Amino acid sequence: MSLLLLPLPGDEARASRLERLLGADRAPVAFRRFPDGETYARLDGDATGRVVVVVGSLCDPDSKLATLLFAAQAARDRGARKVVLAAPYLAYMRQDASFLPGEVVTSRVFAQLLSRAFDALVAVDPHLHRLESLDELYDIPTVAVSAAPAIIAYLRRTVPDPVIVGPDSESGRWVGAVADALGAPSLVFEKTRHGDRDVTIGGADGASMWKQRTPVLLDDIISTGRTMTGAANVLAAAGFSKAVCVGIHAVLVPGAYAELLRAPIARVATTDTIEHESNAIPVDALLADGIREAVSRL
Ligand code: R5P
């Protein structure tokens, strides 16, 4: 039986694309807010025996959590055999450790909540820093889809002689994979974080040997943009031309995009895991493969 896709509000266009790629059906679902701000959810239609895939990019997660949980329950109430979450952007992956007494490891709490509501999870490049895999957090089968093939294809098409630059050590895993595939050199800088919007970038000694190439800054998340602008400034000071700034998840808080465009950055290209005007790298086909894999593990 074909999959039944149930998009969260805002993910309808993505669900339509996935519907075509997967030969799936769309669940007739309705969400709305009551005047007091609470959420109403209704799945009008039968899901008996079906695998339902809730499609929702979890940027701004606190505003979506209730809807997400109600969507999963609506599917079960209508008889779904299994309920899968396809979250192109998986939130709450950055607080993966407690650094101060009493600090909540929100990655773990969030994972416990979702593991109770869903039978499997698919996410694109979840931010795995101190963890090797999502399985260390989630109690359900998980599939981490890599956006690297789409990024590689985009760079192959648009940047002739790149040097791939990671602004911090965490970006090293993406930088290595992309640079190897393109046969390009790579650099990984060092980031020191002083606060939410305050980072310094170092470790650029010797970088200027590649300054004839086009610098491609590559990171998984662009949030305030300070990591990218810091790295772009370091590259400019080392004599590079303006950077092409590639981000997997365009979290981009208000004001961040404008700040990036004022930095020594030629253009910003993000994948479409979060809808944003900088989206230039579609990952639907990779996400569809990830959904197929998750379903095969149920
Ligand atoms: C975290 O380490 C991530 O890989 C990114 O580097 C980080 O989230 C970027 O944040 P911001 O854009 O706020 O500097």
PDB file of all heavy atoms in Angstrom, residues 94 127 129 167-168 170-171 174 191 193 196-197 199 219-228, ligand 1:
ATOM      1  N   ARG A  94      21.730  20.793  19.206  1.00  0.00           N
ATOM      2  CA  ARG A  94      22.988  21.451  19.568  1.00  0.00           C
ATOM      3  C   ARG A  94      23.302  21.382  21.053  1.00  0.00           C
ATOM      4  O   ARG A  94      24.459  21.352  21.446  1.00  0.00           O
ATOM      5  CB  ARG A  94      22.983  22.899  19.057  1.00  0.00           C
ATOM      6  CG  ARG A  94      23.183  22.920  17.546  1.00  0.00           C
ATOM      7  CD  ARG A  94      23.369  24.294  16.989  1.00  0.00           C
ATOM      8  NE  ARG A  94      22.130  25.038  16.912  1.00  0.00           N
ATOM      9  CZ  ARG A  94      22.042  26.288  16.514  1.00  0.00           C
ATOM     10  NH1 ARG A  94      23.129  26.944  16.175  1.00  0.00           N
ATOM     11  NH2 ARG A  94      20.893  26.892  16.450  1.00  0.00           N
ATOM     12  N   HIS A 127      22.649  17.653  13.387  1.00  0.00           N
ATOM     13  CA  HIS A 127      23.892  18.188  13.941  1.00  0.00           C
ATOM     14  C   HIS A 127      24.458  17.209  14.983  1.00  0.00           C
ATOM     15  O   HIS A 127      24.060  17.221  16.146  1.00  0.00           O
ATOM     16  CB  HIS A 127      23.621  19.546  14.580  1.00  0.00           C
ATOM     17  CG  HIS A 127      24.869  20.192  15.132  1.00  0.00           C
ATOM     18  ND1 HIS A 127      25.790  20.829  14.342  1.00  0.00           N
ATOM     19  CD2 HIS A 127      25.361  20.250  16.383  1.00  0.00           C
ATOM     20  CE1 HIS A 127      26.783  21.267  15.076  1.00  0.00           C
ATOM     21  NE2 HIS A 127      26.546  20.932  16.325  1.00  0.00           N
ATOM     22  N   HIS A 129      27.523  16.390  16.911  1.00  0.00           N
ATOM     23  CA  HIS A 129      28.825  16.917  17.275  1.00  0.00           C
ATOM     24  C   HIS A 129      29.533  15.939  18.197  1.00  0.00           C
ATOM     25  O   HIS A 129      30.457  15.251  17.815  1.00  0.00           O
ATOM     26  CB  HIS A 129      28.646  18.295  17.914  1.00  0.00           C
ATOM     27  CG  HIS A 129      29.931  18.921  18.352  1.00  0.00           C
ATOM     28  ND1 HIS A 129      30.003  19.890  19.321  1.00  0.00           N
ATOM     29  CD2 HIS A 129      31.202  18.682  17.974  1.00  0.00           C
ATOM     30  CE1 HIS A 129      31.268  20.225  19.495  1.00  0.00           C
ATOM     31  NE2 HIS A 129      32.002  19.515  18.687  1.00  0.00           N
ATOM     32  N   PRO A 167      34.299  26.487   8.734  1.00  0.00           N
ATOM     33  CA  PRO A 167      34.571  27.569   9.693  1.00  0.00           C
ATOM     34  C   PRO A 167      34.951  27.065  11.086  1.00  0.00           C
ATOM     35  O   PRO A 167      35.488  27.818  11.885  1.00  0.00           O
ATOM     36  CB  PRO A 167      33.250  28.338   9.745  1.00  0.00           C
ATOM     37  CG  PRO A 167      32.219  27.355   9.333  1.00  0.00           C
ATOM     38  CD  PRO A 167      32.871  26.412   8.374  1.00  0.00           C
ATOM     39  N   ASP A 168      34.655  25.792  11.364  1.00  0.00           N
ATOM     40  CA  ASP A 168      34.997  25.238  12.685  1.00  0.00           C
ATOM     41  C   ASP A 168      35.201  23.727  12.570  1.00  0.00           C
ATOM     42  O   ASP A 168      34.898  23.124  11.534  1.00  0.00           O
ATOM     43  CB  ASP A 168      33.899  25.557  13.723  1.00  0.00           C
ATOM     44  CG  ASP A 168      32.525  25.054  13.317  1.00  0.00           C
ATOM     45  OD1 ASP A 168      32.442  24.175  12.437  1.00  0.00           O
ATOM     46  OD2 ASP A 168      31.521  25.543  13.878  1.00  0.00           O
ATOM     47  N   GLU A 170      33.642  21.279  13.809  1.00  0.00           N
ATOM     48  CA  GLU A 170      32.434  20.465  13.613  1.00  0.00           C
ATOM     49  C   GLU A 170      32.054  20.328  12.141  1.00  0.00           C
ATOM     50  O   GLU A 170      31.374  19.375  11.763  1.00  0.00           O
ATOM     51  CB  GLU A 170      31.255  21.095  14.372  1.00  0.00           C
ATOM     52  CG  GLU A 170      31.385  20.962  15.870  1.00  0.00           C
ATOM     53  CD  GLU A 170      30.731  22.132  16.577  1.00  0.00           C
ATOM     54  OE1 GLU A 170      29.497  22.155  16.650  1.00  0.00           O
ATOM     55  OE2 GLU A 170      31.492  23.022  17.026  1.00  0.00           O
ATOM     56  N   SER A 171      32.444  21.314  11.341  1.00  0.00           N
ATOM     57  CA  SER A 171      32.093  21.258   9.913  1.00  0.00           C
ATOM     58  C   SER A 171      33.025  20.324   9.145  1.00  0.00           C
ATOM     59  O   SER A 171      32.789  20.049   7.965  1.00  0.00           O
ATOM     60  CB  SER A 171      32.141  22.661   9.302  1.00  0.00           C
ATOM     61  OG  SER A 171      33.438  23.207   9.459  1.00  0.00           O
ATOM     62  N   TRP A 174      31.656  17.400   6.879  1.00  0.00           N
ATOM     63  CA  TRP A 174      31.042  17.754   5.599  1.00  0.00           C
ATOM     64  C   TRP A 174      32.113  18.251   4.626  1.00  0.00           C
ATOM     65  O   TRP A 174      32.094  17.921   3.448  1.00  0.00           O
ATOM     66  CB  TRP A 174      29.977  18.836   5.797  1.00  0.00           C
ATOM     67  CG  TRP A 174      28.793  18.327   6.542  1.00  0.00           C
ATOM     68  CD1 TRP A 174      27.767  17.571   6.015  1.00  0.00           C
ATOM     69  CD2 TRP A 174      28.503  18.480   7.935  1.00  0.00           C
ATOM     70  NE1 TRP A 174      26.864  17.261   7.000  1.00  0.00           N
ATOM     71  CE2 TRP A 174      27.286  17.806   8.189  1.00  0.00           C
ATOM     72  CE3 TRP A 174      29.148  19.104   8.989  1.00  0.00           C
ATOM     73  CZ2 TRP A 174      26.700  17.746   9.446  1.00  0.00           C
ATOM     74  CZ3 TRP A 174      28.574  19.060  10.253  1.00  0.00           C
ATOM     75  CH2 TRP A 174      27.368  18.388  10.471  1.00  0.00           C
ATOM     76  N   LYS A 191      36.949  27.610  15.725  1.00  0.00           N
ATOM     77  CA  LYS A 191      35.997  28.610  16.246  1.00  0.00           C
ATOM     78  C   LYS A 191      36.012  28.592  17.769  1.00  0.00           C
ATOM     79  O   LYS A 191      36.008  27.531  18.381  1.00  0.00           O
ATOM     80  CB  LYS A 191      34.595  28.289  15.726  1.00  0.00           C
ATOM     81  CG  LYS A 191      33.505  29.184  16.309  1.00  0.00           C
ATOM     82  CD  LYS A 191      32.182  28.993  15.570  1.00  0.00           C
ATOM     83  CE  LYS A 191      31.448  27.757  15.971  1.00  0.00           C
ATOM     84  NZ  LYS A 191      30.188  27.571  15.255  1.00  0.00           N
ATOM     85  N   ARG A 193      33.565  30.000  20.710  1.00  0.00           N
ATOM     86  CA  ARG A 193      32.273  30.643  20.941  1.00  0.00           C
ATOM     87  C   ARG A 193      32.295  31.331  22.300  1.00  0.00           C
ATOM     88  O   ARG A 193      32.585  30.720  23.310  1.00  0.00           O
ATOM     89  CB  ARG A 193      31.139  29.607  20.859  1.00  0.00           C
ATOM     90  CG  ARG A 193      29.766  30.232  20.931  1.00  0.00           C
ATOM     91  CD  ARG A 193      28.652  29.246  20.640  1.00  0.00           C
ATOM     92  NE  ARG A 193      28.439  28.959  19.220  1.00  0.00           N
ATOM     93  CZ  ARG A 193      27.897  29.791  18.347  1.00  0.00           C
ATOM     94  NH1 ARG A 193      27.515  31.004  18.731  1.00  0.00           N
ATOM     95  NH2 ARG A 193      27.722  29.448  17.090  1.00  0.00           N
ATOM     96  N   ASP A 196      25.986  33.527  22.260  1.00  0.00           N
ATOM     97  CA  ASP A 196      25.107  33.126  21.156  1.00  0.00           C
ATOM     98  C   ASP A 196      25.471  33.814  19.839  1.00  0.00           C
ATOM     99  O   ASP A 196      25.373  33.223  18.770  1.00  0.00           O
ATOM    100  CB  ASP A 196      23.646  33.496  21.480  1.00  0.00           C
ATOM    101  CG  ASP A 196      23.086  32.653  22.614  1.00  0.00           C
ATOM    102  OD1 ASP A 196      23.722  31.630  22.962  1.00  0.00           O
ATOM    103  OD2 ASP A 196      22.026  33.025  23.166  1.00  0.00           O
ATOM    104  N   ARG A 197      25.856  35.102  19.948  1.00  0.00           N
ATOM    105  CA  ARG A 197      26.142  35.873  18.727  1.00  0.00           C
ATOM    106  C   ARG A 197      27.576  36.352  18.693  1.00  0.00           C
ATOM    107  O   ARG A 197      27.893  37.347  18.042  1.00  0.00           O
ATOM    108  CB  ARG A 197      25.216  37.098  18.666  1.00  0.00           C
ATOM    109  CG  ARG A 197      23.757  36.734  18.477  1.00  0.00           C
ATOM    110  CD  ARG A 197      22.866  37.958  18.654  1.00  0.00           C
ATOM    111  NE  ARG A 197      21.467  37.567  18.642  1.00  0.00           N
ATOM    112  CZ  ARG A 197      20.717  37.520  17.538  1.00  0.00           C
ATOM    113  NH1 ARG A 197      21.218  37.876  16.380  1.00  0.00           N
ATOM    114  NH2 ARG A 197      19.459  37.127  17.611  1.00  0.00           N
ATOM    115  N   VAL A 199      31.411  34.938  18.202  1.00  0.00           N
ATOM    116  CA  VAL A 199      32.395  33.879  17.947  1.00  0.00           C
ATOM    117  C   VAL A 199      33.667  34.520  17.402  1.00  0.00           C
ATOM    118  O   VAL A 199      33.609  35.599  16.793  1.00  0.00           O
ATOM    119  CB  VAL A 199      31.881  32.842  16.914  1.00  0.00           C
ATOM    120  CG1 VAL A 199      30.608  32.169  17.387  1.00  0.00           C
ATOM    121  CG2 VAL A 199      31.687  33.449  15.544  1.00  0.00           C
ATOM    122  N   ASP A 219      29.004  24.862   6.061  1.00  0.00           N
ATOM    123  CA  ASP A 219      28.645  24.518   7.445  1.00  0.00           C
ATOM    124  C   ASP A 219      27.254  23.892   7.432  1.00  0.00           C
ATOM    125  O   ASP A 219      26.502  24.057   6.471  1.00  0.00           O
ATOM    126  CB  ASP A 219      28.660  25.782   8.319  1.00  0.00           C
ATOM    127  CG  ASP A 219      28.863  25.449   9.800  1.00  0.00           C
ATOM    128  OD1 ASP A 219      28.977  24.261  10.150  1.00  0.00           O
ATOM    129  OD2 ASP A 219      28.902  26.393  10.613  1.00  0.00           O
ATOM    130  N   ASP A 220      26.928  23.192   8.499  1.00  0.00           N
ATOM    131  CA  ASP A 220      25.615  22.538   8.513  1.00  0.00           C
ATOM    132  C   ASP A 220      24.500  23.535   8.810  1.00  0.00           C
ATOM    133  O   ASP A 220      23.505  23.596   8.097  1.00  0.00           O
ATOM    134  CB  ASP A 220      25.579  21.342   9.473  1.00  0.00           C
ATOM    135  CG  ASP A 220      25.895  21.693  10.910  1.00  0.00           C
ATOM    136  OD1 ASP A 220      26.496  22.759  11.154  1.00  0.00           O
ATOM    137  OD2 ASP A 220      25.538  20.903  11.812  1.00  0.00           O
ATOM    138  N   ILE A 221      24.666  24.337   9.868  1.00  0.00           N
ATOM    139  CA  ILE A 221      23.603  25.260  10.278  1.00  0.00           C
ATOM    140  C   ILE A 221      24.099  26.698  10.127  1.00  0.00           C
ATOM    141  O   ILE A 221      25.225  27.005  10.529  1.00  0.00           O
ATOM    142  CB  ILE A 221      23.217  25.010  11.751  1.00  0.00           C
ATOM    143  CG1 ILE A 221      22.668  23.586  11.927  1.00  0.00           C
ATOM    144  CG2 ILE A 221      22.207  26.038  12.249  1.00  0.00           C
ATOM    145  CD1 ILE A 221      22.474  23.165  13.382  1.00  0.00           C
ATOM    146  N   ILE A 222      23.271  27.562   9.552  1.00  0.00           N
ATOM    147  CA  ILE A 222      23.547  29.006   9.632  1.00  0.00           C
ATOM    148  C   ILE A 222      22.400  29.582  10.456  1.00  0.00           C
ATOM    149  O   ILE A 222      21.248  29.567  10.033  1.00  0.00           O
ATOM    150  CB  ILE A 222      23.596  29.700   8.263  1.00  0.00           C
ATOM    151  CG1 ILE A 222      24.430  28.903   7.261  1.00  0.00           C
ATOM    152  CG2 ILE A 222      24.170  31.099   8.420  1.00  0.00           C
ATOM    153  CD1 ILE A 222      24.476  29.540   5.855  1.00  0.00           C
ATOM    154  N   SER A 223      22.717  30.073  11.629  1.00  0.00           N
ATOM    155  CA  SER A 223      21.668  30.564  12.521  1.00  0.00           C
ATOM    156  C   SER A 223      21.762  32.083  12.640  1.00  0.00           C
ATOM    157  O   SER A 223      21.080  32.817  11.923  1.00  0.00           O
ATOM    158  CB  SER A 223      21.805  29.864  13.878  1.00  0.00           C
ATOM    159  OG  SER A 223      20.840  30.336  14.772  1.00  0.00           O
ATOM    160  N   THR A 224      22.643  32.582  13.494  1.00  0.00           N
ATOM    161  CA  THR A 224      22.842  34.034  13.537  1.00  0.00           C
ATOM    162  C   THR A 224      23.716  34.487  12.366  1.00  0.00           C
ATOM    163  O   THR A 224      23.787  35.673  12.060  1.00  0.00           O
ATOM    164  CB  THR A 224      23.543  34.466  14.832  1.00  0.00           C
ATOM    165  OG1 THR A 224      24.871  33.914  14.849  1.00  0.00           O
ATOM    166  CG2 THR A 224      22.783  33.993  16.056  1.00  0.00           C
ATOM    167  N   GLY A 225      24.434  33.547  11.769  1.00  0.00           N
ATOM    168  CA  GLY A 225      25.337  33.874  10.663  1.00  0.00           C
ATOM    169  C   GLY A 225      26.705  34.337  11.138  1.00  0.00           C
ATOM    170  O   GLY A 225      27.594  34.569  10.310  1.00  0.00           O
ATOM    171  N   ARG A 226      26.893  34.450  12.427  1.00  0.00           N
ATOM    172  CA  ARG A 226      28.177  34.986  12.916  1.00  0.00           C
ATOM    173  C   ARG A 226      29.353  34.062  12.605  1.00  0.00           C
ATOM    174  O   ARG A 226      30.469  34.525  12.358  1.00  0.00           O
ATOM    175  CB  ARG A 226      28.086  35.238  14.424  1.00  0.00           C
ATOM    176  CG  ARG A 226      27.103  36.327  14.806  1.00  0.00           C
ATOM    177  CD  ARG A 226      27.582  37.687  14.278  1.00  0.00           C
ATOM    178  NE  ARG A 226      26.517  38.662  14.278  1.00  0.00           N
ATOM    179  CZ  ARG A 226      26.223  39.467  15.309  1.00  0.00           C
ATOM    180  NH1 ARG A 226      26.911  39.401  16.430  1.00  0.00           N
ATOM    181  NH2 ARG A 226      25.234  40.333  15.200  1.00  0.00           N
ATOM    182  N   THR A 227      29.110  32.752  12.608  1.00  0.00           N
ATOM    183  CA  THR A 227      30.197  31.817  12.271  1.00  0.00           C
ATOM    184  C   THR A 227      30.642  32.052  10.826  1.00  0.00           C
ATOM    185  O   THR A 227      31.838  32.159  10.540  1.00  0.00           O
ATOM    186  CB  THR A 227      29.700  30.361  12.450  1.00  0.00           C
ATOM    187  OG1 THR A 227      29.309  30.180  13.815  1.00  0.00           O
ATOM    188  CG2 THR A 227      30.775  29.352  12.090  1.00  0.00           C
ATOM    189  N   MET A 228      29.671  32.168   9.920  1.00  0.00           N
ATOM    190  CA  MET A 228      29.993  32.368   8.503  1.00  0.00           C
ATOM    191  C   MET A 228      30.627  33.744   8.259  1.00  0.00           C
ATOM    192  O   MET A 228      31.606  33.850   7.521  1.00  0.00           O
ATOM    193  CB  MET A 228      28.729  32.221   7.657  1.00  0.00           C
ATOM    194  CG  MET A 228      28.273  30.784   7.476  1.00  0.00           C
ATOM    195  SD  MET A 228      29.515  29.795   6.582  1.00  0.00           S
ATOM    196  CE  MET A 228      28.489  28.450   5.977  1.00  0.00           C
TER     197      MET A 228
HETATM  198  C1  R5P B   1      27.341  24.603  15.352  1.00  0.00           C
HETATM  199  O1  R5P B   1      28.424  24.402  15.762  1.00  0.00           O
HETATM  200  C2  R5P B   1      27.001  24.624  13.917  1.00  0.00           C
HETATM  201  O2  R5P B   1      27.778  23.734  13.192  1.00  0.00           O
HETATM  202  C3  R5P B   1      27.100  26.002  13.314  1.00  0.00           C
HETATM  203  O3  R5P B   1      28.446  26.379  13.162  1.00  0.00           O
HETATM  204  C4  R5P B   1      26.408  27.026  14.169  1.00  0.00           C
HETATM  205  O4  R5P B   1      25.151  26.560  14.530  1.00  0.00           O
HETATM  206  C5  R5P B   1      26.297  28.340  13.452  1.00  0.00           C
HETATM  207  O5  R5P B   1      25.666  29.248  14.297  1.00  0.00           O
HETATM  208  P1  R5P B   1      25.684  30.784  13.987  1.00  0.00           P
HETATM  209  O6  R5P B   1      25.189  30.980  12.600  1.00  0.00           O
HETATM  210  O7  R5P B   1      24.757  31.357  15.011  1.00  0.00           O
HETATM  211  O8  R5P B   1      27.074  31.276  14.152  1.00  0.00           O
END
